[in-house]
Amino acid sequence: MKKLLITTAVLIYVMNVTGQFKKLVWSDEFNYSGLPDRTKWGYDTGHSGWGNNELQYYTAKRIEN
Protein backbone atom coordinates (compact mmCIF):
# COMPACT_ATOMS: atom_id res chain seq x y z
CA MET A 1 0.00 0.00 0.00
CA LYS A 2 2.84 2.36 0.86
CA LYS A 3 4.40 1.87 -2.59
CA LEU A 4 1.07 2.72 -4.22
CA LEU A 5 0.79 5.97 -2.25
CA ILE A 6 4.37 6.95 -3.07
CA THR A 7 3.88 6.12 -6.77
CA THR A 8 0.66 8.12 -6.85
CA ALA A 9 2.33 11.09 -5.14
CA VAL A 10 5.24 11.05 -7.61
CA LEU A 11 2.87 10.82 -10.57
CA ILE A 12 0.80 13.74 -9.30
CA TYR A 13 3.96 15.80 -8.73
CA VAL A 14 5.32 15.08 -12.22
CA MET A 15 2.00 15.83 -13.88
CA ASN A 16 1.70 19.06 -11.91
CA VAL A 17 5.25 20.20 -12.78
CA THR A 18 4.76 19.52 -16.49
CA GLY A 19 1.48 21.40 -16.51
CA GLN A 20 -0.50 18.39 -17.69
CA PHE A 21 -2.33 18.04 -14.40
CA LYS A 22 -4.30 21.02 -13.17
CA LYS A 23 -6.51 19.84 -10.31
CA LEU A 24 -6.97 16.70 -8.26
CA VAL A 25 -10.66 15.87 -8.51
CA TRP A 26 -10.85 12.68 -6.43
CA SER A 27 -8.68 10.50 -4.19
CA ASP A 28 -8.87 7.97 -1.40
CA GLU A 29 -5.79 7.40 0.72
CA PHE A 30 -7.05 4.27 2.54
CA ASN A 31 -5.51 5.59 5.76
CA TYR A 32 -8.13 3.95 7.94
CA SER A 33 -8.91 0.49 9.32
CA GLY A 34 -11.85 -1.58 8.23
CA LEU A 35 -13.81 -1.83 5.04
CA PRO A 36 -13.55 0.74 2.24
CA ASP A 37 -15.80 3.78 2.55
CA ARG A 38 -19.12 2.65 1.04
CA THR A 39 -19.89 6.19 -0.12
CA LYS A 40 -16.86 5.96 -2.44
CA TRP A 41 -16.56 2.25 -3.25
CA GLY A 42 -18.85 -0.60 -4.24
CA TYR A 43 -18.47 -4.33 -4.82
CA ASP A 44 -18.69 -6.37 -8.01
CA THR A 45 -19.06 -9.95 -6.85
CA GLY A 46 -19.07 -13.24 -8.69
CA HIS A 47 -17.21 -16.47 -9.38
CA SER A 48 -16.66 -19.24 -11.95
CA GLY A 49 -15.36 -16.94 -14.66
CA TRP A 50 -17.82 -14.18 -13.88
CA GLY A 51 -17.00 -10.95 -15.69
CA ASN A 52 -14.27 -11.97 -18.12
CA ASN A 53 -13.49 -15.64 -17.46
CA GLU A 54 -11.09 -14.85 -14.60
CA LEU A 55 -10.17 -17.53 -12.08
CA GLN A 56 -10.59 -15.17 -9.13
CA TYR A 57 -13.55 -15.19 -6.79
CA TYR A 58 -14.80 -11.71 -5.91
CA THR A 59 -16.17 -11.18 -2.42
CA ALA A 60 -17.99 -8.37 -0.65
CA LYS A 61 -17.45 -6.77 2.73
CA ARG A 62 -14.82 -9.18 4.08
CA ILE A 63 -12.60 -7.36 6.56
CA GLU A 64 -9.85 -10.00 6.18
CA ASN A 65 -9.46 -9.09 2.52
Side-chain angles (χ1 to χ4, degrees):
M1 180 58 77
K2 189 173 183 178
K3 287 182 181 180
L4 176 63
L5 291 175
I6 291 171
T7 303
T8 303
V10 169
L11 179 61
I12 290 171
Y13 173 78
V14 169
M15 297 288 285
N16 197 21
V17 168
T18 62
Q20 296 176 15
F21 187 78
K22 300 294 181 190
K23 178 182 174 186
L24 179 64
V25 293
W26 188 87
S27 71
D28 192 349
E29 306 304 327
F30 298 103
N31 56 355
Y32 48 86
S33 297
L35 297 172
D37 183 345
R38 66 186 184 125
T39 64
K40 298 177 183 177
W41 299 100
Y43 297 94
D44 287 335
T45 59
H47 58 86
S48 300
W50 173 84
N52 60 357
N53 296 319
E54 296 175 333
L55 299 177
Q56 294 91 339
Y57 183 87
Y58 293 88
T59 61
K61 301 179 182 177
R62 289 187 60 194
I63 195 73
E64 61 270 21
N65 291 349

